[in-house]
Amino acid sequence: MRLSIFYSGEFGKKVVGNLVNSDRFCASCGDLCDHCREPRMSFAPMIVGLFELRTDLPDFVEDTDEYIPSNLPIADLIIAIDLHPDLMMSVPDIALSSNAKAVIIPVDDSRLVPAGLTEQIRKKLESVGIEFECPKPFCSLELTGKTTIDEFVKMGFGRPLLKIEVDNTNGIFTHVEVVRDAPCGATWFVAKKLKWSDVKDYKETISGAHHSYPCTASMEKDAQIGDTILHEAGYIIRKSVEEAMEN
């Protein structure tokens, strides 16, 4: 699958770094790094377009063509992260120019991607047969029944999925394996912190790791989910761990 990524800000950098999996991406463990991510493949060969767009733009951008690259590469999936709202409105045109089959616009901050804006984009894309998902947060993305978007999820990105082994005698986690990662890469860090920790303290361990990574989601209350997006991301990784513990 050919990926074309348009992003602004730290969240986009984390998603790109996680996809590429460079040896400089994850420095969470410092001197204690055991290179746990080395066996995981890099998806860099799939990225046909990588565009970091400006953040120092006026409130209203009249001519978006001035800030969007021309001669866009052909791509199957467009991922647009934390763009200026006026640039985000150009995503359907970007998708058409790229001959894309699908678009994902993850929401890390509702102020950048308000619900009304995403609905306008959804209508434009679906009217021309382009798949669309707008996960809030990105780590809530699951299989959708949409071919190209599901291919991205099956690559190992979306709602975290783990395999866990527990020593019930000593009450500790002995094995924590990442099967599907949050697109920002936080699941690996949570897994690292859980291994050899006390099972009874798992909620505190997850919360501490999630904040220390750190999750870049907004702490502003989101009207649609009734909580902050950062808290929602925290609930998702905790639920994912609990499901793995049950299994």
Side-chain angles (χ1 to χ4, degrees):
M1 181 166 65
R2 296 164 295 184
L3 302 174
S4 193
I5 304 171
F6 298 77
Y7 72 97
S8 299
E10 291 304 311
F11 178 44
K13 290 178 182 178
K14 283 199 168 188
V15 173
V16 171
N18 193 31
L19 285 166
V20 172
N21 196 32
S22 72
D23 57 5
R24 298 180 300 278
F25 170 64
C26 180
S28 301
C29 297
D31 292 338
L32 298 178
C33 176
D34 63 0
H35 307 283
C36 66
R37 290 178 57 103
E38 282 187 358
R40 180 186 171 283
M41 71 176 290
S42 168
F43 293 93
M46 293 185 179
I47 300 175
V48 296
L50 183 59
F51 307 98
E52 182 175 7
L53 304 187
R54 289 172 52 184
T55 56
D56 59 336
L57 300 178
D59 291 339
F60 176 70
V61 177
E62 185 172 355
D63 184 9
T64 57
D65 290 342
E66 181 180 346
Y67 304 101
I68 294 174
S70 56
N71 300 318
L72 297 172
I74 299 300
D76 299 304
L77 173 63
I78 303 291
I79 302 177
I81 304 172
D82 285 355
L83 306 184
H84 184 288
D86 289 333
L87 300 188
M88 196 69 85
M89 276 301 297
S90 298
V91 167
D93 294 330
I94 290 172
L96 286 170
S97 297
S98 304
N99 200 27
K101 302 172 185 175
V103 170
I104 297 174
I105 298 178
V107 182
D108 191 48
D109 188 336
S110 300
R111 294 168 297 183
L112 288 173
V113 196
L117 174 63
T118 57
E119 280 308 302
Q120 291 182 57
I121 294 172
R122 181 188 302 278
K123 289 177 181 178
K124 286 186 177 182
L125 290 170
E126 292 182 349
S127 70
V128 292
I130 297 176
E131 300 172 5
F132 177 67
E133 283 295 324
C134 186
K136 183 193 297 186
F138 206 172
C139 53
S140 68
L141 182 65
E142 299 191 73
L143 294 173
T144 63
K146 300 172 184 177
T147 304
T148 303
I149 291 175
D150 283 358
E151 187 177 346
F152 177 76
V153 176
K154 290 174 183 177
M155 284 165 51
F157 300 100
R159 187 181 185 277
L161 183 64
L162 302 104
K163 290 182 179 178
I164 285 175
E165 294 177 10
V166 174
D167 179 344
N168 290 313
T169 302
N170 296 304
I172 60 173
F173 294 98
T174 56
H175 177 77
V176 186
E177 177 185 345
V178 178
V179 178
R180 185 194 300 141
D181 190 12
C184 70
T187 313
W188 286 82
F189 187 53
V190 172
K192 178 77 172 180
K193 296 301 182 183
L194 277 174
K195 190 175 181 182
W196 306 120
S197 70
D198 291 335
V199 173
K200 63 181 176 60
D201 297 329
Y202 79 92
K203 291 181 181 179
E204 291 78 9
T205 304
I206 293 168
S207 179
H210 187 249
H211 282 78
S212 298
Y213 178 64
C215 175
T216 59
S218 172
M219 276 296 290
E220 294 287 330
K221 186 173 181 179
D222 180 87
Q224 284 188 316
I225 63 177
D227 203 340
T228 70
I229 300 177
L230 186 144
H231 286 164
E232 182 68 14
Y235 302 146
I236 287 169
I237 182 58
R238 183 198 297 177
K239 181 65 174 176
S240 297
V241 171
E242 291 171 345
E243 289 171 351
M245 289 167 66
E246 290 172 3
N247 292 332

